[in-house]
Amino acid sequence: YTEQIFAMQLEQLGTDYVDVYMLHTPPQDPSQLRLLWSIMETLYSQGRVRALGISNCDVNDLREVFSVARVPPAYIQNLFKVYKPGEQMASSEDIVAMAHENQIAVMGYSVQTEWPHVLPPPQDPHIRSLAAQVGRTPSQVLHRWALQRGVGVIPKASSRER
């Protein structure tokens, strides 16, 4: 089934390989995670995937992948904002540091959104004060903060002001 889906995705993209193939949100069952990672490694071994990635993961998911991976992830894409830098759930361990220690690139999304129901970072008085001090917009300060942590950012704006 996975092979059919992957073949369809390649056809839709009009290519015979992808640079990065990501597991989006690892399953809670560790045996399923191991099975999925193994399937992705097969695609990698066939040369149809050049690197493997994982998104929306936590430190425990990453450890589980490390424990079975012949091909470790090269890329992590996670929620990343000042209130939750890199973790999908609250954790005392820094997934960004763990990724960097293992030479894994980290990409952050939602740097300026309020999800889950917290003050929108661009409206945070601390962010606004910093932005005023350095002559930048709150959005620029937030993106620069992520970059300075070694996290690439996926910017998105629904309005020019953002």
Side-chain angles (χ1 to χ4, degrees):
Y1 180 71
T2 303
E3 172 64 32
Q4 293 169 333
I5 291 173
F6 184 72
M8 178 188 68
Q9 291 169 330
L10 289 180
E11 184 178 323
Q12 289 173 338
L13 291 168
T15 187
D16 57 352
Y17 75 93
V18 292
D19 290 319
V20 178
Y21 199 56
M22 287 187 11
L23 174 59
H24 187 279
T25 309
Q28 300 230 346
D29 179 353
S31 64
Q32 278 205 312
L33 176 57
R34 289 190 297 269
L35 174 65
L36 288 169
W37 199 260
S38 174
I39 291 167
M40 291 172 61
E41 287 178 324
T42 299
L43 298 171
Y44 175 88
S45 297
Q46 294 169 346
R48 299 165 71 195
V49 172
R50 297 208 172 149
L52 300 178
I54 188 168
S55 67
N56 303 314
C57 66
D58 63 23
V59 170
N60 293 325
D61 296 324
L62 204 49
R63 280 195 184 107
E64 187 65 35
V65 170
F66 287 156
S67 75
V68 298
R70 290 177 291 115
V71 179
Y75 178 86
I76 294 174
Q77 181 177 301
N78 266 11
L79 177 70
F80 196 84
K81 56 186 167 187
V82 294
Y83 308 128
K84 282 175 77 171
E87 283 294 333
Q88 299 311 107
M89 303 303 286
S91 173
S92 61
E93 295 182 81
D94 186 346
I95 194 167
V96 174
M98 178 187 246
H100 289 164
E101 287 167 8
N102 289 279
Q103 290 76 49
I104 300 172
V106 180
M107 185 64 68
Y109 66 86
S110 295
V111 172
Q112 46 185 3
T113 63
E114 71 275 4
W115 183 91
H117 316 296
V118 181
L119 176 68
Q123 295 174 15
D124 185 309
H126 303 292
I127 303 295
R128 295 178 78 73
S129 174
L130 284 170
Q133 288 175 32
V134 297
R136 299 287 186 240
T137 67
S139 176
Q140 289 171 320
V141 167
L142 291 164
H143 285 88
R144 178 61 182 234
W145 166 79
L147 292 170
Q148 286 182 272
R149 290 266 340 259
V151 175
V153 292
I154 303 172
K156 177 201 177 276
S158 56
S159 68
R160 180 133 180 93
E161 295 76 43
R162 284 183 66 184

